[in-house]
mmCIF file of all heavy atoms in Angstrom:
data_model
loop_
_atom_site.group_PDB
_atom_site.id
_atom_site.type_symbol
_atom_site.label_atom_id
_atom_site.label_comp_id
_atom_site.label_asym_id
_atom_site.label_seq_id
_atom_site.Cartn_x
_atom_site.Cartn_y
_atom_site.Cartn_z
ATOM 1 N N ASP R 222 322.856 188.204 176.333
ATOM 2 C CA ASP R 222 323.266 188.541 177.687
ATOM 3 C C ASP R 222 322.254 189.517 178.304
ATOM 4 O O ASP R 222 322.081 190.632 177.811
ATOM 5 C CB ASP R 222 324.655 189.171 177.700
ATOM 6 C CG ASP R 222 325.135 189.520 179.078
ATOM 7 O OD1 ASP R 222 324.783 190.614 179.573
ATOM 8 O OD2 ASP R 222 325.835 188.670 179.671
ATOM 9 N N ARG R 223 321.572 189.100 179.354
ATOM 10 C CA ARG R 223 320.521 189.915 179.960
ATOM 11 C C ARG R 223 321.061 191.173 180.572
ATOM 12 O O ARG R 223 320.382 192.229 180.554
ATOM 13 C CB ARG R 223 319.714 189.084 180.968
ATOM 14 C CG ARG R 223 318.642 188.221 180.290
ATOM 15 C CD ARG R 223 317.801 187.478 181.307
ATOM 16 N NE ARG R 223 318.264 186.102 181.413
ATOM 17 C CZ ARG R 223 318.669 185.502 182.524
ATOM 18 N NH1 ARG R 223 318.665 186.156 183.664
ATOM 19 N NH2 ARG R 223 319.034 184.256 182.538
ATOM 20 N N PHE R 224 322.240 191.101 181.161
ATOM 21 C CA PHE R 224 322.797 192.297 181.805
ATOM 22 C C PHE R 224 323.083 193.335 180.711
ATOM 23 O O PHE R 224 322.752 194.561 180.896
ATOM 24 C CB PHE R 224 324.056 191.993 182.568
ATOM 25 C CG PHE R 224 324.459 193.060 183.534
ATOM 26 C CD1 PHE R 224 324.077 193.002 184.880
ATOM 27 C CD2 PHE R 224 325.186 194.165 183.125
ATOM 28 C CE1 PHE R 224 324.403 193.985 185.786
ATOM 29 C CE2 PHE R 224 325.525 195.180 184.020
ATOM 30 C CZ PHE R 224 325.152 195.077 185.350
ATOM 31 N N GLN R 225 323.632 192.936 179.606
ATOM 32 C CA GLN R 225 323.874 193.870 178.499
ATOM 33 C C GLN R 225 322.567 194.430 177.950
ATOM 34 O O GLN R 225 322.463 195.619 177.602
ATOM 35 C CB GLN R 225 324.646 193.190 177.373
ATOM 36 C CG GLN R 225 325.050 194.129 176.224
ATOM 37 C CD GLN R 225 325.898 195.279 176.687
ATOM 38 O OE1 GLN R 225 326.897 195.075 177.414
ATOM 39 N NE2 GLN R 225 325.512 196.512 176.326
ATOM 40 N N ALA R 226 321.538 193.588 177.891
ATOM 41 C CA ALA R 226 320.228 194.060 177.433
ATOM 42 C C ALA R 226 319.672 195.151 178.359
ATOM 43 O O ALA R 226 319.031 196.084 177.886
ATOM 44 C CB ALA R 226 319.259 192.892 177.316
ATOM 45 N N VAL R 227 319.900 194.985 179.651
ATOM 46 C CA VAL R 227 319.446 196.011 180.600
ATOM 47 C C VAL R 227 320.172 197.313 180.305
ATOM 48 O O VAL R 227 319.580 198.412 180.296
ATOM 49 C CB VAL R 227 319.705 195.549 182.026
ATOM 50 C CG1 VAL R 227 319.615 196.704 183.015
ATOM 51 C CG2 VAL R 227 318.718 194.444 182.404
ATOM 52 N N ALA R 228 321.500 197.255 180.124
ATOM 53 C CA ALA R 228 322.271 198.452 179.844
ATOM 54 C C ALA R 228 321.808 199.101 178.531
ATOM 55 O O ALA R 228 321.658 200.335 178.485
ATOM 56 C CB ALA R 228 323.751 198.110 179.755
ATOM 57 N N ASP R 229 321.527 198.292 177.529
ATOM 58 C CA ASP R 229 321.046 198.836 176.256
ATOM 59 C C ASP R 229 319.649 199.426 176.417
ATOM 60 O O ASP R 229 319.327 200.465 175.792
ATOM 61 C CB ASP R 229 320.982 197.731 175.211
ATOM 62 C CG ASP R 229 322.394 197.228 174.804
ATOM 63 O OD1 ASP R 229 323.361 197.944 175.080
ATOM 64 O OD2 ASP R 229 322.461 196.143 174.219
ATOM 65 N N SER R 230 318.807 198.831 177.253
ATOM 66 C CA SER R 230 317.474 199.347 177.519
ATOM 67 C C SER R 230 317.560 200.742 178.187
ATOM 68 O O SER R 230 316.834 201.653 177.825
ATOM 69 C CB SER R 230 316.706 198.396 178.412
ATOM 70 O OG SER R 230 316.516 197.149 177.799
ATOM 71 N N PHE R 231 318.430 200.824 179.175
ATOM 72 C CA PHE R 231 318.615 202.108 179.883
ATOM 73 C C PHE R 231 319.078 203.171 178.879
ATOM 74 O O PHE R 231 318.585 204.298 178.880
ATOM 75 C CB PHE R 231 319.635 201.954 181.004
ATOM 76 C CG PHE R 231 319.810 203.198 181.837
ATOM 77 C CD1 PHE R 231 319.046 203.394 182.972
ATOM 78 C CD2 PHE R 231 320.744 204.149 181.508
ATOM 79 C CE1 PHE R 231 319.225 204.544 183.745
ATOM 80 C CE2 PHE R 231 320.927 205.299 182.241
ATOM 81 C CZ PHE R 231 320.145 205.509 183.371
ATOM 82 N N ALA R 232 320.039 202.824 178.047
ATOM 83 C CA ALA R 232 320.566 203.774 177.073
ATOM 84 C C ALA R 232 319.487 204.248 176.095
ATOM 85 O O ALA R 232 319.396 205.442 175.744
ATOM 86 C CB ALA R 232 321.711 203.161 176.293
ATOM 87 N N PHE R 233 318.625 203.304 175.664
ATOM 88 C CA PHE R 233 317.525 203.676 174.742
ATOM 89 C C PHE R 233 316.575 204.639 175.405
ATOM 90 O O PHE R 233 316.220 205.671 174.828
ATOM 91 C CB PHE R 233 316.776 202.409 174.330
ATOM 92 C CG PHE R 233 315.539 202.677 173.513
ATOM 93 C CD1 PHE R 233 315.605 203.016 172.169
ATOM 94 C CD2 PHE R 233 314.281 202.660 174.124
ATOM 95 C CE1 PHE R 233 314.446 203.311 171.447
ATOM 96 C CE2 PHE R 233 313.125 202.923 173.424
ATOM 97 C CZ PHE R 233 313.225 203.262 172.091
ATOM 98 N N LEU R 234 316.124 204.305 176.626
ATOM 99 C CA LEU R 234 315.157 205.205 177.311
ATOM 100 C C LEU R 234 315.789 206.559 177.588
ATOM 101 O O LEU R 234 315.117 207.592 177.489
ATOM 102 C CB LEU R 234 314.671 204.512 178.575
ATOM 103 C CG LEU R 234 313.813 203.273 178.384
ATOM 104 C CD1 LEU R 234 313.445 202.657 179.753
ATOM 105 C CD2 LEU R 234 312.535 203.634 177.637
ATOM 106 N N ALA R 235 317.062 206.556 177.980
ATOM 107 C CA ALA R 235 317.742 207.837 178.248
ATOM 108 C C ALA R 235 317.834 208.680 176.976
ATOM 109 O O ALA R 235 317.646 209.906 177.016
ATOM 110 C CB ALA R 235 319.135 207.573 178.786
ATOM 111 N N SER R 236 318.056 208.041 175.846
ATOM 112 C CA SER R 236 318.163 208.775 174.586
ATOM 113 C C SER R 236 316.860 209.406 174.170
ATOM 114 O O SER R 236 316.833 210.381 173.440
ATOM 115 C CB SER R 236 318.659 207.837 173.456
ATOM 116 O OG SER R 236 317.618 206.935 173.063
ATOM 117 N N LYS R 237 315.746 208.837 174.680
ATOM 118 C CA LYS R 237 314.401 209.379 174.414
ATOM 119 C C LYS R 237 313.939 210.309 175.508
ATOM 120 O O LYS R 237 312.797 210.782 175.462
ATOM 121 C CB LYS R 237 313.413 208.201 174.262
ATOM 122 C CG LYS R 237 313.732 207.245 173.147
ATOM 123 C CD LYS R 237 313.595 207.889 171.777
ATOM 124 C CE LYS R 237 313.792 206.837 170.661
ATOM 125 N NZ LYS R 237 313.639 207.464 169.332
ATOM 126 N N GLY R 238 314.783 210.538 176.491
ATOM 127 C CA GLY R 238 314.374 211.376 177.632
ATOM 128 C C GLY R 238 313.370 210.727 178.537
ATOM 129 O O GLY R 238 312.584 211.391 179.242
ATOM 130 N N LEU R 239 313.403 209.384 178.568
ATOM 131 C CA LEU R 239 312.386 208.606 179.337
ATOM 132 C C LEU R 239 312.976 207.848 180.504
ATOM 133 O O LEU R 239 312.274 207.104 181.176
ATOM 134 C CB LEU R 239 311.682 207.628 178.393
ATOM 135 C CG LEU R 239 310.941 208.279 177.218
ATOM 136 C CD1 LEU R 239 310.403 207.213 176.259
ATOM 137 C CD2 LEU R 239 309.785 209.149 177.735
ATOM 138 N N ALA R 240 314.265 208.020 180.763
ATOM 139 C CA ALA R 240 314.895 207.288 181.894
ATOM 140 C C ALA R 240 315.069 208.254 183.083
ATOM 141 O O ALA R 240 315.163 209.435 182.940
ATOM 142 C CB ALA R 240 316.276 206.784 181.481
#
Side-chain angles (χ1 to χ4, degrees):
D222 181 275
R223 278 182 259 124
F224 197 95
Q225 184 59 50
V227 166
D229 292 344
S230 298
F231 184 91
F233 172 80
L234 292 177
S236 74
K237 300 292 185 179
L239 300 173

